[in-house]
Amino acid sequence: MIFNLAGKSLLLPSVLERGRADDRMVIAGLLGLHHRVDWKECSGSEAEEKEDAQKFRKAFAPFQPKK
């Protein structure tokens, strides 16, 4: 399987057999975000996480299905 992202190509013939950690490493490498591979190491404080969640909800509110 060939992935094209941001003008870069990457061939991963056995991508379906690999774990999700490998997927994160590939995407982080393509995006130049090597420091974000381990999601446990890039979390913020509880207040920062709540603020990010509120921003996310606000940004995607127009796409929320109506009840």
Side-chain angles (χ1 to χ4, degrees):
M1 182 175 283
I2 298 175
F3 289 98
N4 291 306
L5 184 63
K8 298 178 183 179
S9 295
L10 184 64
L11 175 63
L12 292 175
S14 60
V15 70
L16 297 177
E17 298 173 10
R18 296 174 187 252
R20 291 187 178 164
D22 286 343
D23 298 341
R24 283 192 297 272
M25 288 190 318
V26 169
I27 298 299
L30 289 172
L31 295 174
L33 299 172
H34 302 285
H35 62 283
R36 306 274 319 252
V37 171
D38 185 2
W39 62 270
K40 296 175 189 175
E41 296 295 323
C42 58
S43 63
S45 68
E46 186 174 344
E48 290 172 324
E49 295 289 336
K50 286 181 179 181
E51 182 181 344
D52 287 345
Q54 289 297 326
K55 288 178 184 177
F56 181 86
R57 286 186 190 111
K58 184 177 179 181
F60 285 91
F63 304 103
Q64 182 70 24
K66 304 292 183 202
K67 291 184 179 182

